[in-house]
Amino acid sequence: MNPAISNLAIMLIMMQVSKRLDFENPDIVFYVRCAYASATLITLSIYLYIRSIILKKNDLTTIKFVAPPNAMAGETEGKLTVTTVKQYDIEQINQSIKGVFTGLAMMGFMHLYMKYTNPLVMQSISPIKSALEGNLAKIHLFGKPASGDLKRPFKAASMFGAFGGDEVKTDKQTIEQAETAGKGGIKQE
């Protein structure tokens, strides 16, 4: 099933569930908080388990790619990145772990400061689903080969769809141009 469709279905179902809950009852609020906390701990556990698998595999295969320029930082040319599969996967999983804590901070602000409880219900399933549908989970948990859509570097889903800027380039010609340009891959002090 398409993840976007299943996310939409889950959100619609969770909206209906949250409409039927009496958030004036402190017991209901307590159970909703427990469900959200449990979902956050399960998501974090999934990511930490994947991280331990990555460290155990210790795949030191070298990968090269040219990352797109960061327009916000004023960059006009992509930067050559030379890394290992292990280091790339660790960076990706660390971003996912940071995302869990960012979501936790946002939910904490919305629930504790702004007194919204509905988002806790919504966010009690989707983080687990996202963790299990991620590329690293498919490779390391479910044993799918790292080819096609799962080939590193992963294609980042753009917020703007087809209009969303450049993507990572892995073709030989682009990598050779970046290597000979003398800008990428050089240690700068």
Side-chain angles (χ1 to χ4, degrees), residues 19-20 30 55 68 83 86 95 123 136-137 143 168-169 173 177:
K19 284 182 183 178
R20 288 173 171 53
F30 173 76
L55 291 173
T83 188
K86 174 187 173 183
Q95 286 178 358
Q123 292 298 314
L136 292 174
V168 176
K169 294 186 170 90
Q173 180 182 4
Q177 287 174 349

Side-chain angles (χ1 to χ4, degrees), residues 23-40:
F23 291 120
E24 300 299 319
N25 184 345
D27 291 337
I28 299 288
V29 174
F30 173 76
Y31 290 124
V32 168
R33 287 176 181 164
C34 288
Y36 176 73
S38 299
T40 302

Side-chain angles (χ1 to χ4, degrees), residues 51-101:
R51 191 174 196 281
S52 72
I53 292 172
I54 293 167
L55 291 173
K56 194 181 299 180
K57 283 184 180 178
N58 198 26
D59 188 350
L60 300 176
T61 306
T62 303
I63 54 174
K64 294 181 181 181
F65 58 92
V66 177
N70 184 355
M72 298 294 207
E75 296 175 356
T76 57
E77 293 184 19
K79 183 178 177 188
L80 176 67
T81 303
V82 180
T83 188
T84 62
V85 169
K86 174 187 173 183
Q87 189 59 37
Y88 181 79
D89 286 358
I90 290 292
E91 288 173 13
Q92 295 294 310
I93 205 71
N94 286 346
Q95 286 178 358
S96 298
I97 291 170
K98 286 178 190 173
V100 170
F101 289 111

Side-chain angles (χ1 to χ4, degrees), residues 82-164:
V82 180
T83 188
T84 62
V85 169
K86 174 187 173 183
Q87 189 59 37
Y88 181 79
D89 286 358
I90 290 292
E91 288 173 13
Q92 295 294 310
I93 205 71
N94 286 346
Q95 286 178 358
S96 298
I97 291 170
K98 286 178 190 173
V100 170
F101 289 111
T102 302
L104 190 62
M106 288 174 54
M107 283 296 118
F109 173 76
M110 289 177 68
H111 179 63
L112 299 175
Y113 183 73
M114 299 180 75
K115 307 293 184 207
Y116 291 130
T117 307
N118 285 0
L120 292 179
V121 176
M122 307 283 188
Q123 292 298 314
S124 62
I125 292 181
S126 59
I128 298 171
K129 182 180 175 298
S130 296
L132 293 174
E133 287 179 342
N135 290 334
L136 292 174
K138 289 176 185 175
I139 293 170
H140 296 292
L141 284 182
F142 303 123
K144 292 189 178 181
S147 60
D149 288 343
L150 298 178
K151 186 174 191 252
R152 295 170 188 95
F154 303 130
K155 289 182 172 69
S158 174
M159 205 177 354
F160 304 109
F163 304 108

Side-chain angles (χ1 to χ4, degrees), residues 162-174:
F163 304 108
D166 301 326
E167 33 178 83
V168 176
K169 294 186 170 90
T170 57
D171 61 289
K172 190 173 184 175
Q173 180 182 4
T174 306

